[in-house]
Amino acid sequence: VYHTTPWRGLIHLLTVFKRLNLQNTELNICSSTIIYGKKFDSILGKKYENVFEECKNTKNVNYLGFVENNKIIELLKNMHIYSFPSIWPETSCISAIEAMAAGCSIVTSNLGALYETCTPFANFVHFDQNLKNFEKDYLLTLQKTIDNYWSDENQESLDLQVKTINKLYSWKIRAQDWINFLQKIKS
């Protein structure tokens, strides 16, 4: 699954997925510009129309477009891998956190704060500004992740990942962090 905005690496994922030419694997894509509103979509949406059309016309790709967050959370519980060849310097990554919390293996770049957000669970690909090299490296890592998904070692790691991420990022923990922070600055 890929569930974020198109400019974060969707076109590179499509290139890689086509090259893999997998028979028993589907890619679900939840991506759109409408998340930022109708005006934003009317201006920038046109820039990505060709990418979305490519999604719709690529073998084994299910283009779902914009999907509300609560439905993304449910979808993630039925997915195996969050494939995110990010070319965007993330400061954190809610989509990766949500995918890890749902039990997805993560394949992503080490760009921005993705390394800090997803360590020690993700399979990282070094971000290379030569995007052809990046795609080649990403393909190898994604293929390896697919091949090893059902291994006992990976399944144990995913169990630990779900427990860890849900503990670290639960609203109960986050709310208490905010309460503590606000009380501290109030004094």
Side-chain angles (χ1 to χ4, degrees), residues 1 3 28 30 67 69-82 95 97-106 149-150 155 158 161-162 166:
V1 67
H3 68 103
N28 292 295
C30 307
V67 177
N69 188 257
N70 61 334
K71 292 180 181 172
I72 291 281
I73 300 302
E74 291 306 310
L75 176 70
L76 288 171
K77 293 175 185 176
N78 296 308
M79 298 295 103
H80 297 107
I81 297 170
Y82 177 43
S95 65
I97 292 167
E98 291 170 338
M100 287 189 295
C104 296
S105 287
I106 308 296
Y149 181 80
W150 291 109
Q155 292 302 306
L158 289 174
Q161 170 188 293
V162 169
N166 281 296

Side-chain angles (χ1 to χ4, degrees), residues 6-182:
W7 54 82
R8 286 180 160 87
L10 178 55
I11 193 67
H12 304 289
L13 177 56
L14 283 173
T15 299
V16 166
F17 193 74
K18 286 180 189 180
R19 286 187 190 143
L20 285 171
N21 194 28
L22 302 165
Q23 302 305 311
N24 302 346
T25 303
E26 291 184 349
L27 173 60
N28 292 295
I29 297 176
C30 307
S31 187
S32 174
T33 57
I34 194 70
I35 192 167
Y36 294 112
K38 290 179 182 178
K39 185 175 181 182
F40 185 92
D41 183 53
S42 70
I43 296 167
L44 266 143
K46 290 173 182 42
K47 180 177 180 181
Y48 296 99
E49 282 177 351
N50 291 339
V51 176
F52 298 143
E53 280 304 311
E54 189 173 344
C55 292
K56 293 172 189 174
N57 295 312
T58 299
K59 182 180 100 176
N60 293 344
V61 170
N62 304 310
Y63 177 67
L64 305 173
F66 172 76
V67 177
E68 293 178 6
N69 188 257
N70 61 334
K71 292 180 181 172
I72 291 281
I73 300 302
E74 291 306 310
L75 176 70
L76 288 171
K77 293 175 185 176
N78 296 308
M79 298 295 103
H80 297 107
I81 297 170
Y82 177 43
S83 187
F84 184 40
S86 181
I87 60 169
W88 187 263
E90 302 285 348
T91 56
S92 182
C93 188
I94 292 171
S95 65
I97 292 167
E98 291 170 338
M100 287 189 295
C104 296
S105 287
I106 308 296
V107 181
T108 192
S109 70
N110 62 351
L111 187 60
L114 283 165
Y115 184 80
E116 291 81 1
T117 301
C118 300
T119 294
F121 302 110
N123 297 307
F124 292 103
V125 177
H126 173 71
F127 179 74
D128 189 328
Q129 288 185 345
N130 178 326
L131 295 174
K132 297 296 179 198
N133 290 340
F134 175 62
E135 288 173 357
K136 187 171 24 171
D137 293 342
Y138 194 88
L139 183 146
L140 295 172
T141 303
L142 181 57
Q143 181 67 64
K144 183 178 176 185
T145 303
I146 292 168
D147 292 345
N148 293 320
Y149 181 80
W150 291 109
S151 71
D152 290 342
E153 181 182 355
N154 186 59
Q155 292 302 306
E156 288 173 18
S157 178
L158 289 174
D159 287 342
L160 178 60
Q161 170 188 293
V162 169
K163 289 174 187 167
T164 303
I165 297 302
N166 281 296
K167 183 175 180 181
L168 287 174
Y169 292 104
S170 74
W171 279 113
K172 183 178 178 181
I173 300 293
R174 295 293 109 201
Q176 191 59 53
D177 288 346
W178 276 102
I179 290 167
N180 294 344
F181 170 72
L182 294 171

